[in-house]
Amino acid sequence: MTNTNALAQARSLTLPTREASLHREESVSHFWNNNRKLLEDAWVEWEIENKNNLLIPDQSLLDPRLREAVNSAWKNPEKENAVADLWEEIIPGVYKIQFFDLERLAEFRNYLEAAANSKIPARPPYGIQLNRYGVMLDPRSEGHLGAPNFQAFYNDIMDRYMRPISRLLLGTQGYDSQTFGFSIRYNPDKEKDLQAHTDASSATLNININLPDEEYTGSEVDFYDKSTKQTVQTFFEPGKAILHRGNVPHATHPITSGQRSNLVVWLYGDRMQIPRGSTSSYGNFGSAGSNTAAPENITPRQRWSLPKEPKDTFAPF
């Protein structure tokens, strides 16, 4: 039974200090684990309390062309090339698309702002970036954004969109049963850039959630093309997403004005397994829109399916 006093109890908790979190002190993990059920109940209560003025996030927030193509592919996987046609290839293993419907993005941002202002304790992503403005998204993470409606939307993005599309464009099947996600915000004064790195994922989907009038300068993203030894620079437009193999080196330039807010979600295999070696280790693939966009031994029906493996508890950070 849900604790009906959970919201008030959660709001009265004293969070671990930033210093304790950065040093991975044992007390920090104890705090999140000991209060996990309380926090989950608090998110349920928060949704009930705000049910008359709170968005229920769902697929209608996404770009109509993407949504239509993906839903069509789920009904008939042989139509999957219509999904691939929507993606712009930046370099091998890196693709770009309009992900959110710009006319609906403000509603989603308002939902996230309401969640951030709920005063329910949430854990920032202290792993890949010491980012005090973000939050963990996946239930495998301590202190995640546990609102049930958000979790349903998050699972839809991972299951109905990211996984089959990653299989289609990147050939990640076999390394995509598990999910992970966090939000992040770049600011000129703190958390302004990210040094060159690769991700502990088979595939990464990085979604910009800036509104059209939220301009910023700097914060360009560099991707290193291993085949040409060249660095290609790209820029995040509002509502657009970049899908890339985790082993593609990339870096973020310093942001010089404004803010950039993103959702970052990963796929990897059981117990955090990811492909090893160069980009070719993912199998044969072609450009978006081609008829050879994924390994030949995987059928469209297999790509547009859910994994049979249960979710485990392993998380990169």
Side-chain angles (χ1 to χ4, degrees), residues 88-152:
E88 171 194 354
E89 185 179 54
I90 299 175
I91 62 171
V94 182
Y95 296 86
K96 194 172 187 178
I97 198 173
Q98 185 66 42
F99 195 83
F100 274 101
D101 183 347
L102 288 180
E103 295 183 1
R104 301 289 311 280
L105 188 53
E107 297 176 61
F108 183 57
R109 281 290 302 278
N110 288 339
Y111 175 89
L112 294 178
E113 290 297 324
N117 293 329
S118 68
K119 298 183 180 179
I120 300 174
R123 183 171 81 83
Y126 287 121
I128 189 171
Q129 173 97 0
L130 306 183
N131 194 284
R132 69 197 71 198
Y133 303 104
V135 65
M136 308 308 293
L137 305 178
D138 198 283
R140 74 181 64 246
S141 300
E142 300 169 339
H144 69 289
L145 200 172
N149 288 331
F150 175 82
Q151 284 300 311

Short mmCIF file of all heavy atoms in Angstrom, two decimals, residues 88-152:
data_model
loop_
_atom_site.label_atom_id
_atom_site.label_comp_id
_atom_site.label_asym_id
_atom_site.label_seq_id
_atom_site.Cartn_x
_atom_site.Cartn_y
_atom_site.Cartn_z
N GLU A 88 19.51 11.98 -40.51
CA GLU A 88 20.63 12.55 -41.26
C GLU A 88 21.93 11.96 -40.72
O GLU A 88 22.22 12.07 -39.53
CB GLU A 88 20.64 14.07 -41.12
CG GLU A 88 21.87 14.74 -41.69
CD GLU A 88 22.02 16.18 -41.25
OE1 GLU A 88 21.09 16.71 -40.59
OE2 GLU A 88 23.06 16.79 -41.56
N GLU A 89 22.72 11.36 -41.59
CA GLU A 89 24.00 10.81 -41.16
C GLU A 89 25.04 11.91 -41.10
O GLU A 89 25.29 12.61 -42.09
CB GLU A 89 24.46 9.70 -42.12
CG GLU A 89 25.73 9.01 -41.64
CD GLU A 89 26.16 7.90 -42.59
OE1 GLU A 89 26.31 8.18 -43.80
OE2 GLU A 89 26.34 6.77 -42.11
N ILE A 90 25.67 12.07 -39.93
CA ILE A 90 26.72 13.06 -39.75
C ILE A 90 28.07 12.46 -40.12
O ILE A 90 28.82 13.00 -40.94
CB ILE A 90 26.73 13.57 -38.29
CG1 ILE A 90 25.39 14.24 -37.96
CG2 ILE A 90 27.88 14.54 -38.06
CD1 ILE A 90 25.25 14.65 -36.52
N ILE A 91 28.40 11.33 -39.51
CA ILE A 91 29.54 10.48 -39.89
C ILE A 91 29.07 9.05 -39.64
O ILE A 91 28.02 8.84 -39.04
CB ILE A 91 30.81 10.80 -39.05
CG1 ILE A 91 30.55 10.52 -37.55
CG2 ILE A 91 31.29 12.22 -39.28
CD1 ILE A 91 31.81 10.60 -36.68
N PRO A 92 29.82 8.04 -40.09
CA PRO A 92 29.42 6.67 -39.78
C PRO A 92 29.22 6.46 -38.28
O PRO A 92 30.10 6.78 -37.48
CB PRO A 92 30.58 5.84 -40.32
CG PRO A 92 31.13 6.65 -41.45
CD PRO A 92 30.99 8.08 -40.99
N GLY A 93 28.05 5.96 -37.93
CA GLY A 93 27.76 5.70 -36.52
C GLY A 93 27.19 6.86 -35.77
O GLY A 93 27.00 6.79 -34.55
N VAL A 94 26.88 7.99 -36.47
CA VAL A 94 26.31 9.17 -35.82
C VAL A 94 25.20 9.73 -36.70
O VAL A 94 25.44 10.04 -37.88
CB VAL A 94 27.37 10.27 -35.58
CG1 VAL A 94 26.75 11.46 -34.86
CG2 VAL A 94 28.55 9.72 -34.77
N TYR A 95 23.99 9.88 -36.14
CA TYR A 95 22.82 10.32 -36.89
C TYR A 95 22.07 11.40 -36.12
O TYR A 95 22.12 11.45 -34.89
CB TYR A 95 21.87 9.15 -37.15
CG TYR A 95 22.47 8.07 -38.02
CD1 TYR A 95 23.23 7.03 -37.46
CD2 TYR A 95 22.28 8.07 -39.39
CE1 TYR A 95 23.78 6.04 -38.25
CE2 TYR A 95 22.81 7.07 -40.19
CZ TYR A 95 23.56 6.06 -39.62
OH TYR A 95 24.10 5.08 -40.41
N LYS A 96 21.33 12.23 -36.86
CA LYS A 96 20.62 13.36 -36.27
C LYS A 96 19.18 13.40 -36.78
O LYS A 96 18.92 13.04 -37.93
CB LYS A 96 21.34 14.66 -36.63
CG LYS A 96 20.94 15.88 -35.84
CD LYS A 96 21.88 17.04 -36.18
CE LYS A 96 21.63 18.25 -35.30
NZ LYS A 96 22.57 19.36 -35.61
N ILE A 97 18.24 13.88 -35.93
CA ILE A 97 16.83 13.93 -36.31
C ILE A 97 16.09 14.95 -35.45
O ILE A 97 16.55 15.29 -34.35
CB ILE A 97 16.16 12.54 -36.13
CG1 ILE A 97 14.85 12.43 -36.91
CG2 ILE A 97 15.94 12.24 -34.66
CD1 ILE A 97 14.25 11.04 -36.91
N GLN A 98 14.95 15.44 -35.98
CA GLN A 98 14.03 16.21 -35.14
C GLN A 98 13.25 15.20 -34.30
O GLN A 98 12.50 14.41 -34.83
CB GLN A 98 13.07 17.03 -35.99
CG GLN A 98 12.15 17.95 -35.19
CD GLN A 98 12.91 19.06 -34.48
OE1 GLN A 98 13.82 19.66 -35.07
NE2 GLN A 98 12.58 19.33 -33.22
N PHE A 99 13.43 15.23 -32.99
CA PHE A 99 12.86 14.22 -32.12
C PHE A 99 11.58 14.69 -31.45
O PHE A 99 10.57 13.99 -31.45
CB PHE A 99 13.88 13.80 -31.06
CG PHE A 99 13.53 12.53 -30.34
CD1 PHE A 99 13.83 11.30 -30.90
CD2 PHE A 99 12.89 12.56 -29.11
CE1 PHE A 99 13.50 10.11 -30.24
CE2 PHE A 99 12.56 11.39 -28.44
CZ PHE A 99 12.86 10.16 -29.01
N PHE A 100 11.60 15.87 -30.86
CA PHE A 100 10.40 16.42 -30.22
C PHE A 100 9.65 17.33 -31.18
O PHE A 100 10.24 17.98 -32.04
CB PHE A 100 10.76 17.22 -28.97
CG PHE A 100 10.89 16.40 -27.72
CD1 PHE A 100 12.13 16.02 -27.23
CD2 PHE A 100 9.76 16.00 -27.02
CE1 PHE A 100 12.25 15.28 -26.07
CE2 PHE A 100 9.86 15.25 -25.86
CZ PHE A 100 11.11 14.87 -25.38
N ASP A 101 8.33 17.35 -31.04
CA ASP A 101 7.48 18.29 -31.75
C ASP A 101 7.68 19.67 -31.09
O ASP A 101 7.38 19.84 -29.90
CB ASP A 101 6.02 17.85 -31.64
CG ASP A 101 5.06 18.74 -32.41
OD1 ASP A 101 5.47 19.84 -32.83
OD2 ASP A 101 3.90 18.33 -32.57
N LEU A 102 8.17 20.64 -31.84
CA LEU A 102 8.46 21.95 -31.26
C LEU A 102 7.22 22.62 -30.70
O LEU A 102 7.30 23.44 -29.77
CB LEU A 102 9.12 22.85 -32.30
CG LEU A 102 10.56 22.49 -32.68
CD1 LEU A 102 11.09 23.46 -33.72
CD2 LEU A 102 11.46 22.48 -31.45
N GLU A 103 6.05 22.29 -31.24
CA GLU A 103 4.81 22.89 -30.74
C GLU A 103 4.39 22.31 -29.39
O GLU A 103 3.54 22.89 -28.71
CB GLU A 103 3.70 22.71 -31.76
CG GLU A 103 3.94 23.47 -33.07
CD GLU A 103 2.79 23.34 -34.04
OE1 GLU A 103 1.78 22.68 -33.68
OE2 GLU A 103 2.89 23.89 -35.15
N ARG A 104 4.98 21.17 -29.01
CA ARG A 104 4.61 20.52 -27.74
C ARG A 104 5.75 20.55 -26.72
O ARG A 104 5.56 20.18 -25.57
CB ARG A 104 4.23 19.06 -27.98
CG ARG A 104 3.06 18.82 -28.93
CD ARG A 104 1.73 19.23 -28.31
NE ARG A 104 1.53 18.71 -26.97
CZ ARG A 104 1.13 17.45 -26.70
NH1 ARG A 104 0.90 16.60 -27.69
NH2 ARG A 104 0.93 17.07 -25.46
N LEU A 105 6.93 20.99 -27.16
CA LEU A 105 8.09 20.89 -26.29
C LEU A 105 7.96 21.73 -25.02
O LEU A 105 8.41 21.32 -23.95
CB LEU A 105 9.36 21.30 -27.06
CG LEU A 105 10.70 21.09 -26.38
CD1 LEU A 105 10.86 19.65 -25.88
CD2 LEU A 105 11.85 21.45 -27.33
N ALA A 106 7.30 22.88 -25.13
CA ALA A 106 7.13 23.73 -23.94
C ALA A 106 6.32 23.02 -22.87
O ALA A 106 6.59 23.17 -21.66
CB ALA A 106 6.46 25.04 -24.32
N GLU A 107 5.34 22.21 -23.28
CA GLU A 107 4.54 21.46 -22.31
C GLU A 107 5.41 20.46 -21.55
O GLU A 107 5.26 20.28 -20.33
CB GLU A 107 3.41 20.72 -23.03
CG GLU A 107 2.40 21.61 -23.73
CD GLU A 107 1.39 20.78 -24.49
OE1 GLU A 107 0.67 19.98 -23.86
OE2 GLU A 107 1.32 20.92 -25.74
N PHE A 108 6.29 19.79 -22.28
CA PHE A 108 7.18 18.82 -21.64
C PHE A 108 8.16 19.51 -20.70
O PHE A 108 8.42 19.02 -19.60
CB PHE A 108 7.92 18.02 -22.70
CG PHE A 108 8.81 16.94 -22.14
CD1 PHE A 108 8.30 15.95 -21.32
CD2 PHE A 108 10.17 16.91 -22.44
CE1 PHE A 108 9.11 14.94 -20.80
CE2 PHE A 108 10.99 15.91 -21.94
CZ PHE A 108 10.46 14.93 -21.12
N ARG A 109 8.69 20.64 -21.12
CA ARG A 109 9.61 21.38 -20.26
C ARG A 109 8.89 21.84 -18.99
O ARG A 109 9.48 21.81 -17.89
CB ARG A 109 10.18 22.57 -21.02
CG ARG A 109 11.31 22.21 -21.98
CD ARG A 109 12.58 21.82 -21.22
NE ARG A 109 12.99 22.89 -20.35
CZ ARG A 109 13.69 23.93 -20.77
NH1 ARG A 109 14.06 24.04 -22.04
NH2 ARG A 109 14.03 24.89 -19.92
N ASN A 110 7.65 22.27 -19.12
CA ASN A 110 6.89 22.67 -17.94
C ASN A 110 6.72 21.50 -16.98
O ASN A 110 6.76 21.66 -15.75
CB ASN A 110 5.53 23.23 -18.35
CG ASN A 110 5.63 24.59 -19.01
OD1 ASN A 110 6.62 25.31 -18.83
ND2 ASN A 110 4.61 24.96 -19.78
N TYR A 111 6.51 20.31 -17.55
CA TYR A 111 6.38 19.11 -16.71
C TYR A 111 7.69 18.87 -15.94
O TYR A 111 7.68 18.61 -14.74
CB TYR A 111 6.06 17.90 -17.58
CG TYR A 111 6.03 16.59 -16.83
CD1 TYR A 111 4.86 16.13 -16.23
CD2 TYR A 111 7.18 15.82 -16.70
CE1 TYR A 111 4.84 14.94 -15.53
CE2 TYR A 111 7.18 14.63 -16.00
CZ TYR A 111 6.00 14.18 -15.41
OH TYR A 111 6.00 13.01 -14.71
N LEU A 112 8.82 18.93 -16.65
CA LEU A 112 10.11 18.70 -15.99
C LEU A 112 10.40 19.76 -14.94
O LEU A 112 10.98 19.46 -13.89
CB LEU A 112 11.23 18.66 -17.04
CG LEU A 112 11.18 17.50 -18.04
CD1 LEU A 112 12.32 17.63 -19.04
CD2 LEU A 112 11.26 16.16 -17.32
N GLU A 113 10.02 21.01 -15.22
CA GLU A 113 10.22 22.07 -14.23
C GLU A 113 9.37 21.81 -12.99
O GLU A 113 9.81 22.03 -11.85
CB GLU A 113 9.88 23.44 -14.84
CG GLU A 113 10.87 23.92 -15.89
CD GLU A 113 12.27 24.13 -15.34
OE1 GLU A 113 12.38 24.57 -14.18
OE2 GLU A 113 13.23 23.83 -16.07
N ALA A 114 8.15 21.34 -13.21
CA ALA A 114 7.28 21.02 -12.07
C ALA A 114 7.88 19.89 -11.24
O ALA A 114 7.84 19.92 -9.99
CB ALA A 114 5.89 20.64 -12.57
N ALA A 115 8.44 18.90 -11.91
CA ALA A 115 9.09 17.79 -11.19
C ALA A 115 10.29 18.30 -10.40
O ALA A 115 10.52 17.92 -9.24
CB ALA A 115 9.51 16.70 -12.17
N ALA A 116 11.07 19.19 -11.02
CA ALA A 116 12.25 19.74 -10.34
C ALA A 116 11.85 20.58 -9.13
O ALA A 116 12.58 20.64 -8.14
CB ALA A 116 13.06 20.58 -11.32
N ASN A 117 10.68 21.22 -9.21
CA ASN A 117 10.20 22.07 -8.10
C ASN A 117 9.34 21.31 -7.10
O ASN A 117 8.79 21.93 -6.18
CB ASN A 117 9.41 23.25 -8.67
CG ASN A 117 10.27 24.20 -9.47
OD1 ASN A 117 11.45 24.36 -9.19
ND2 ASN A 117 9.69 24.82 -10.50
N SER A 118 9.24 20.00 -7.26
CA SER A 118 8.39 19.19 -6.36
C SER A 118 8.97 19.09 -4.96
O SER A 118 8.26 18.70 -4.02
CB SER A 118 8.24 17.79 -6.93
OG SER A 118 9.47 17.08 -6.89
N LYS A 119 10.25 19.38 -4.81
CA LYS A 119 10.97 19.26 -3.55
C LYS A 119 11.13 17.80 -3.11
O LYS A 119 11.45 17.52 -1.95
CB LYS A 119 10.32 20.09 -2.44
CG LYS A 119 10.30 21.58 -2.75
CD LYS A 119 9.71 22.38 -1.60
CE LYS A 119 9.69 23.87 -1.92
NZ LYS A 119 9.11 24.67 -0.81
N ILE A 120 10.90 16.87 -4.04
CA ILE A 120 11.22 15.46 -3.78
C ILE A 120 12.70 15.26 -4.06
O ILE A 120 13.17 15.61 -5.15
CB ILE A 120 10.38 14.52 -4.67
CG1 ILE A 120 8.88 14.73 -4.41
CG2 ILE A 120 10.76 13.07 -4.43
CD1 ILE A 120 7.98 13.95 -5.35
N PRO A 121 13.46 14.74 -3.13
CA PRO A 121 14.89 14.55 -3.38
C PRO A 121 15.16 13.73 -4.63
O PRO A 121 14.49 12.73 -4.89
CB PRO A 121 15.37 13.81 -2.12
CG PRO A 121 14.40 14.21 -1.06
CD PRO A 121 13.08 14.33 -1.76
N ALA A 122 16.11 14.19 -5.44
CA ALA A 122 16.51 13.49 -6.66
C ALA A 122 18.02 13.60 -6.78
O ALA A 122 18.62 14.60 -6.39
CB ALA A 122 15.82 14.09 -7.88
N ARG A 123 18.64 12.57 -7.34
CA ARG A 123 20.10 12.54 -7.40
C ARG A 123 20.60 13.10 -8.73
O ARG A 123 20.22 12.62 -9.79
CB ARG A 123 20.62 11.11 -7.23
CG ARG A 123 22.15 11.04 -7.22
CD ARG A 123 22.65 9.67 -6.85
NE ARG A 123 22.64 8.73 -7.94
CZ ARG A 123 23.60 8.62 -8.87
NH1 ARG A 123 24.63 9.45 -8.85
NH2 ARG A 123 23.53 7.70 -9.80
N PRO A 124 21.47 14.11 -8.69
CA PRO A 124 22.09 14.60 -9.92
C PRO A 124 23.06 13.56 -10.47
O PRO A 124 23.53 12.69 -9.75
CB PRO A 124 22.84 15.86 -9.46
CG PRO A 124 22.25 16.21 -8.13
CD PRO A 124 21.84 14.90 -7.52
N PRO A 125 23.38 13.65 -11.77
CA PRO A 125 24.33 12.71 -12.37
C PRO A 125 25.77 13.09 -12.06
O PRO A 125 26.40 13.84 -12.80
CB PRO A 125 24.03 12.82 -13.87
CG PRO A 125 23.49 14.20 -14.04
CD PRO A 125 22.75 14.52 -12.77
N TYR A 126 26.31 12.57 -10.98
CA TYR A 126 27.67 12.90 -10.57
C TYR A 126 28.72 12.03 -11.24
O TYR A 126 29.85 11.97 -10.79
CB TYR A 126 27.80 12.76 -9.06
CG TYR A 126 27.12 13.83 -8.27
CD1 TYR A 126 26.14 13.52 -7.35
CD2 TYR A 126 27.47 15.17 -8.44
CE1 TYR A 126 25.50 14.51 -6.62
CE2 TYR A 126 26.84 16.15 -7.71
CZ TYR A 126 25.86 15.83 -6.80
OH TYR A 126 25.24 16.82 -6.08
N GLY A 127 28.35 11.31 -12.29
CA GLY A 127 29.30 10.40 -12.89
C GLY A 127 30.03 10.99 -14.06
O GLY A 127 31.16 11.47 -13.97
N ILE A 128 29.35 11.00 -15.23
CA ILE A 128 30.00 11.48 -16.44
C ILE A 128 30.30 12.97 -16.36
O ILE A 128 31.22 13.48 -16.97
CB ILE A 128 29.12 11.17 -17.67
CG1 ILE A 128 29.87 11.47 -18.96
CG2 ILE A 128 27.81 11.91 -17.62
CD1 ILE A 128 29.15 10.98 -20.20
N GLN A 129 29.52 13.69 -15.61
CA GLN A 129 29.67 15.13 -15.48
C GLN A 129 29.20 15.50 -14.08
O GLN A 129 28.16 15.03 -13.64
CB GLN A 129 28.83 15.85 -16.54
CG GLN A 129 28.76 17.34 -16.41
CD GLN A 129 29.76 18.05 -17.30
OE1 GLN A 129 30.49 17.40 -18.02
NE2 GLN A 129 29.79 19.35 -17.24
N LEU A 130 29.93 16.36 -13.40
CA LEU A 130 29.51 16.77 -12.07
C LEU A 130 28.42 17.82 -12.23
O LEU A 130 28.64 19.02 -12.04
CB LEU A 130 30.71 17.31 -11.28
CG LEU A 130 31.91 16.36 -11.20
CD1 LEU A 130 33.01 16.96 -10.34
CD2 LEU A 130 31.48 15.02 -10.66
N ASN A 131 27.25 17.37 -12.64
CA ASN A 131 26.20 18.30 -13.06
C ASN A 131 25.12 18.42 -12.00
O ASN A 131 24.33 17.49 -11.81
CB ASN A 131 25.60 17.83 -14.39
CG ASN A 131 24.75 18.90 -15.03
OD1 ASN A 131 23.64 19.14 -14.60
ND2 ASN A 131 25.29 19.54 -16.05
N ARG A 132 25.08 19.54 -11.35
CA ARG A 132 24.14 19.73 -10.24
C ARG A 132 22.73 20.03 -10.72
O ARG A 132 21.80 20.09 -9.93
CB ARG A 132 24.64 20.84 -9.33
CG ARG A 132 24.60 22.23 -9.92
CD ARG A 132 25.48 23.18 -9.16
NE ARG A 132 26.88 22.89 -9.39
CZ ARG A 132 27.87 23.32 -8.60
NH1 ARG A 132 27.59 24.01 -7.53
NH2 ARG A 132 29.12 23.03 -8.86
N TYR A 133 22.55 20.24 -12.03
CA TYR A 133 21.24 20.63 -12.55
C TYR A 133 20.45 19.47 -13.13
O TYR A 133 19.28 19.64 -13.48
CB TYR A 133 21.41 21.72 -13.62
CG TYR A 133 22.15 22.93 -13.13
CD1 TYR A 133 23.48 23.14 -13.48
CD2 TYR A 133 21.53 23.87 -12.30
CE1 TYR A 133 24.16 24.26 -13.04
CE2 TYR A 133 22.22 24.98 -11.84
CZ TYR A 133 23.54 25.17 -12.22
OH TYR A 133 24.23 26.27 -11.76
N GLY A 134 21.07 18.30 -13.27
CA GLY A 134 20.40 17.18 -13.89
C GLY A 134 19.79 16.23 -12.88
O GLY A 134 19.83 16.46 -11.66
N VAL A 135 19.23 15.14 -13.39
CA VAL A 135 18.62 14.13 -12.53
C VAL A 135 18.73 12.78 -13.23
O VAL A 135 18.78 12.71 -14.46
CB VAL A 135 17.13 14.49 -12.25
CG1 VAL A 135 16.31 14.44 -13.52
CG2 VAL A 135 16.53 13.58 -11.19
N MET A 136 18.78 11.72 -12.45
CA MET A 136 18.79 10.37 -13.00
C MET A 136 17.38 10.01 -13.47
O MET A 136 16.39 10.37 -12.83
CB MET A 136 19.29 9.37 -11.96
CG MET A 136 20.62 9.73 -11.31
SD MET A 136 21.96 10.10 -12.48
CE MET A 136 22.21 8.49 -13.22
N LEU A 137 17.28 9.27 -14.57
CA LEU A 137 15.98 8.96 -15.16
C LEU A 137 15.57 7.50 -15.02
O LEU A 137 14.38 7.19 -15.03
CB LEU A 137 15.99 9.33 -16.66
CG LEU A 137 16.37 10.76 -17.00
CD1 LEU A 137 16.38 10.95 -18.52
CD2 LEU A 137 15.43 11.76 -16.34
N ASP A 138 16.53 6.60 -14.93
CA ASP A 138 16.24 5.17 -14.99
C ASP A 138 16.03 4.59 -13.59
O ASP A 138 16.76 4.95 -12.66
CB ASP A 138 17.38 4.43 -15.70
CG ASP A 138 16.98 3.06 -16.19
OD1 ASP A 138 16.90 2.14 -15.35
OD2 ASP A 138 16.74 2.90 -17.40
N PRO A 139 15.07 3.67 -13.42
CA PRO A 139 14.82 3.08 -12.10
C PRO A 139 16.02 2.35 -11.51
O PRO A 139 16.06 2.12 -10.29
CB PRO A 139 13.66 2.11 -12.35
CG PRO A 139 12.96 2.65 -13.54
CD PRO A 139 14.04 3.25 -14.40
N ARG A 140 16.98 1.95 -12.36
CA ARG A 140 18.17 1.29 -11.81
C ARG A 140 19.04 2.26 -11.03
O ARG A 140 19.95 1.84 -10.31
CB ARG A 140 18.99 0.64 -12.93
CG ARG A 140 19.77 1.62 -13.79
CD ARG A 140 20.55 0.93 -14.90
NE ARG A 140 19.66 0.30 -15.83
CZ ARG A 140 19.58 -1.03 -16.01
NH1 ARG A 140 20.36 -1.83 -15.31
NH2 ARG A 140 18.76 -1.54 -16.88
N SER A 141 18.79 3.56 -11.15
CA SER A 141 19.62 4.58 -10.52
C SER A 141 19.02 5.06 -9.21
O SER A 141 17.80 5.23 -9.09
CB SER A 141 19.78 5.79 -11.46
OG SER A 141 20.39 5.41 -12.67
N GLU A 142 19.87 5.31 -8.25
CA GLU A 142 19.43 5.87 -6.98
C GLU A 142 18.84 7.26 -7.20
O GLU A 142 19.36 8.05 -7.99
CB GLU A 142 20.62 5.98 -6.02
CG GLU A 142 21.30 4.66 -5.70
CD GLU A 142 22.62 4.85 -4.97
OE1 GLU A 142 23.18 5.96 -5.07
OE2 GLU A 142 23.07 3.91 -4.32
N GLY A 143 17.75 7.55 -6.51
CA GLY A 143 17.18 8.89 -6.56
C GLY A 143 16.68 9.31 -7.93
O GLY A 143 16.73 10.50 -8.27
N HIS A 144 16.14 8.37 -8.71
CA HIS A 144 15.70 8.69 -10.07
C HIS A 144 14.35 9.42 -10.05
O HIS A 144 13.65 9.44 -9.04
CB HIS A 144 15.57 7.41 -10.89
CG HIS A 144 14.46 6.51 -10.46
ND1 HIS A 144 14.48 5.79 -9.29
CD2 HIS A 144 13.25 6.23 -11.04
CE1 HIS A 144 13.38 5.09 -9.17
NE2 HIS A 144 12.59 5.35 -10.20
N LEU A 145 14.02 10.00 -11.20
CA LEU A 145 12.73 10.69 -11.35
C LEU A 145 11.66 9.61 -11.48
O LEU A 145 11.40 9.10 -12.56
CB LEU A 145 12.75 11.59 -12.59
CG LEU A 145 11.74 12.73 -12.67
CD1 LEU A 145 12.03 13.62 -13.87
CD2 LEU A 145 10.29 12.24 -12.75
N GLY A 146 11.03 9.27 -10.35
CA GLY A 146 10.19 8.09 -10.28
C GLY A 146 8.71 8.33 -10.53
O GLY A 146 7.91 7.43 -10.25
N ALA A 147 8.34 9.49 -11.07
CA ALA A 147 6.92 9.73 -11.35
C ALA A 147 6.42 8.68 -12.34
O ALA A 147 7.00 8.52 -13.42
CB ALA A 147 6.74 11.13 -11.93
N PRO A 148 5.36 7.94 -12.01
CA PRO A 148 4.90 6.83 -12.87
C PRO A 148 4.62 7.23 -14.31
O PRO A 148 4.97 6.51 -15.24
CB PRO A 148 3.64 6.33 -12.16
CG PRO A 148 3.86 6.67 -10.73
CD PRO A 148 4.59 7.99 -10.75
N ASN A 149 4.00 8.40 -14.53
CA ASN A 149 3.71 8.81 -15.90
C ASN A 149 4.98 9.13 -16.67
O ASN A 149 5.07 8.84 -17.88
CB ASN A 149 2.78 10.03 -15.91
CG ASN A 149 1.36 9.67 -15.49
OD1 ASN A 149 0.91 8.55 -15.69
ND2 ASN A 149 0.66 10.63 -14.91
N PHE A 150 5.95 9.73 -16.00
CA PHE A 150 7.22 9.97 -16.68
C PHE A 150 7.90 8.65 -17.01
O PHE A 150 8.47 8.49 -18.11
CB PHE A 150 8.17 10.82 -15.83
CG PHE A 150 9.53 10.97 -16.47
CD1 PHE A 150 9.73 11.92 -17.46
CD2 PHE A 150 10.58 10.11 -16.14
CE1 PHE A 150 10.97 12.02 -18.10
CE2 PHE A 150 11.81 10.22 -16.76
CZ PHE A 150 12.01 11.18 -17.74
N GLN A 151 7.88 7.69 -16.09
CA GLN A 151 8.52 6.41 -16.33
C GLN A 151 7.88 5.67 -17.51
O GLN A 151 8.58 5.03 -18.30
CB GLN A 151 8.48 5.56 -15.07
CG GLN A 151 9.47 5.98 -14.00
CD GLN A 151 10.90 5.90 -14.49
OE1 GLN A 151 11.33 4.90 -15.05
NE2 GLN A 151 11.67 6.97 -14.27
N ALA A 152 6.57 5.78 -17.65
CA ALA A 152 5.91 5.16 -18.80
C ALA A 152 6.39 5.78 -20.10
O ALA A 152 6.63 5.09 -21.09
CB ALA A 152 4.40 5.29 -18.66
#
